Amino acid sequence: MESNQLKSLVPASGSLLLGVMGDPIAHSKSPAMHQAALGAMGVPGHYVPLHVKPDNLKDAIQAIRALGFRGVNVTIPHKVEVMTYLDAVDEGAKRIGAVNTVVNDNGLLTGYNTDGIGYVRSLKEEILPELAGKHIVVLGAGGAARGIIHALIQEGPGSVSVVNRTASKAKELAEEWGNLAQIRGFGESEAETAIRSADVLINTTSVGMHPNVNQVPVPEAWIPEGIVVSDLIYNPLTTKLLSISAAKGCSVHGGLGMFINQGAYALEYWTGQPAPVEDMKAAVLESFRRETRA
Ligand code: ATR
């Protein structure tokens, strides 16, 4: 998009308006990240935290038009419910069943999901440029797993094995998307063979997240030496899964890149310009440092 096109997105108030709706929202890193991005891009604008309770979501979404916001991110607990209030939902987001980014085109609100594509962009850029033909194991079958598996499927992997505590959820997901890829579902106790032959192991569950930092979502002995191991968790930045995998010679990838890149894609939808990913990462890390000092 040319910069004069970008100018046309800035309302008469002179400021591009963006934000994030969630409940709770106070600890979101999105405002710090996007505000830094707007600054680095030289775009006059504000990205604000919006505390929206579930009962108010409909009104809040309608207010996007009335207030002239160019777009918003939506986060927990609104990612599914929000789809009811939009004019259009992107095909991928529909299949995933969740929206995290809303774009306002002159009053027409369209929903996208940038979580999965943000994750895959970060995995490819940071650690594994080619996913085609790889045997990928995904731990978890919830909302985050759906976004990630959907984006992984677009890369033509050799196989995707979904492993979940509740086996039926993994099996149902494999059946739902069985026509899109070689995909199978397993309960935790049935997963040893798939995990032992994985090229890439991805944790989408909350096992190992602060404060349960000593938990690991899979038996250590099953993790093959030298594969790629990735964890969506970014608090802590290095989970126990990643540290034991690194000790086994694995290449490891943490969750920070996904967070940054889901924001980068959202900003690219809103502005049509490449997002300043390094500035965004620096802002998030600085925000973490400030929190630790506080
Ligand atoms: P998200 O949007 O983060 O994916 P979610 O939709 O609630 O959140 O899904 C959480 C996932 O983590 C699920 O796959 C869940 O397993 P179940 O389907 O069996 O509930 C998994 N999960 C959460 N806590 C877990 C635990 N202690 N052990 C194993 N899996 C866990």
Side-chain angles (χ1 to χ4, degrees):
M1 186 180 294
E2 301 296 326
S3 62
N4 56 348
Q5 281 178 280
L6 182 56
K7 266 186 215 146
S8 73
L9 298 174
V10 177
S13 65
S15 190
L16 188 73
L17 295 177
L18 302 167
V20 55
M21 295 182 179
D23 178 28
I25 203 62
H27 293 288
S28 169
K29 301 281 176 230
S30 290
M33 175 170 79
H34 283 284
Q35 202 59 52
L38 293 172
M41 293 164 85
V43 175
H46 296 282
Y47 183 109
V48 291
L50 299 161
H51 185 201
V52 176
K53 298 236 182 229
D55 281 354
N56 292 327
L57 183 64
K58 184 176 183 190
D59 289 346
I61 292 296
Q62 283 174 357
I64 294 173
R65 298 191 192 89
L67 297 172
F69 273 61
R70 169 60 175 153
V72 293
N73 286 126
V74 287
T75 187
I76 294 167
H78 304 316
K79 288 185 186 187
V80 177
E81 178 74 14
V82 68
M83 294 196 291
T84 327
Y85 309 126
L86 302 174
D87 300 309
V89 176
D90 163 73
E91 270 312 306
K94 239 186 248 169
R95 242 185 267 142
I96 293 163
V99 156
N100 77 324
T101 301
V102 176
V103 179
N104 176 8
D105 284 309
N106 298 314
L108 186 89
L109 303 184
T110 305
Y112 298 89
N113 189 311
T114 70
D115 287 330
I117 54 175
Y119 170 79
V120 168
R121 176 161 152 184
S122 117
L123 183 68
K124 288 172 75 177
E125 282 178 7
E126 290 176 39
I127 210 115
L128 190 62
E130 185 59 68
L131 291 168
K134 299 283 191 246
H135 296 289
I136 303 177
V137 172
V138 177
L139 306 176
R146 288 182 71 89
I148 279 161
I149 293 166
H150 188 266
L152 287 169
I153 286 173
Q154 319 301 318
E155 301 291 322
S159 68
V160 177
S161 302
V162 186
V163 178
N164 199 42
R165 178 176 60 182
T166 310
S168 58
K169 248 166 90 181
K171 290 177 188 190
E172 279 159 26
L173 181 54
E175 196 166 321
E176 185 182 340
W177 287 348
N179 61 333
L180 303 175
Q182 184 66 33
I183 173 168
R184 286 195 299 161
F186 300 92
E188 286 175 334
S189 59
E190 312 159 322
E192 180 172 353
T193 308
I195 294 173
R196 283 192 186 272
S197 54
D199 301 312
V200 184
L201 175 66
I202 302 168
N203 176 43
T204 76
T205 77
S206 51
V207 178
M209 192 186 287
H210 181 82
N212 303 314
V213 295
N214 283 318
Q215 293 180 354
V216 181
V218 65
E220 182 172 351
W222 294 4
I223 304 170
E225 287 176 13
I227 66 165
V228 168
V229 179
S230 171
D231 201 326
L232 261 59
I233 294 169
Y234 61 88
N235 183 13
L237 285 172
T238 305
T239 58
K240 185 155 183 203
L241 171 67
L242 295 188
S243 59
I244 63 174
S245 301
K248 286 186 140 190
C250 298
S251 306
V252 298
H253 171 251
L256 188 64
M258 169 176 174
F259 177 68
I260 312 267
N261 281 295
Q262 60 76 29
Y265 271 116
L267 199 60
E268 288 167 7
Y269 286 150
W270 294 323
T271 67
Q273 297 201 345
V277 175
E278 287 308 316
D279 297 278
M280 294 164 78
K281 185 172 178 183
V284 174
L285 288 174
E286 176 52 28
S287 171
F288 271 122
R289 274 192 290 271
R290 240 181 283 129
E291 217 170 59
T292 333
R293 280 197 299 266

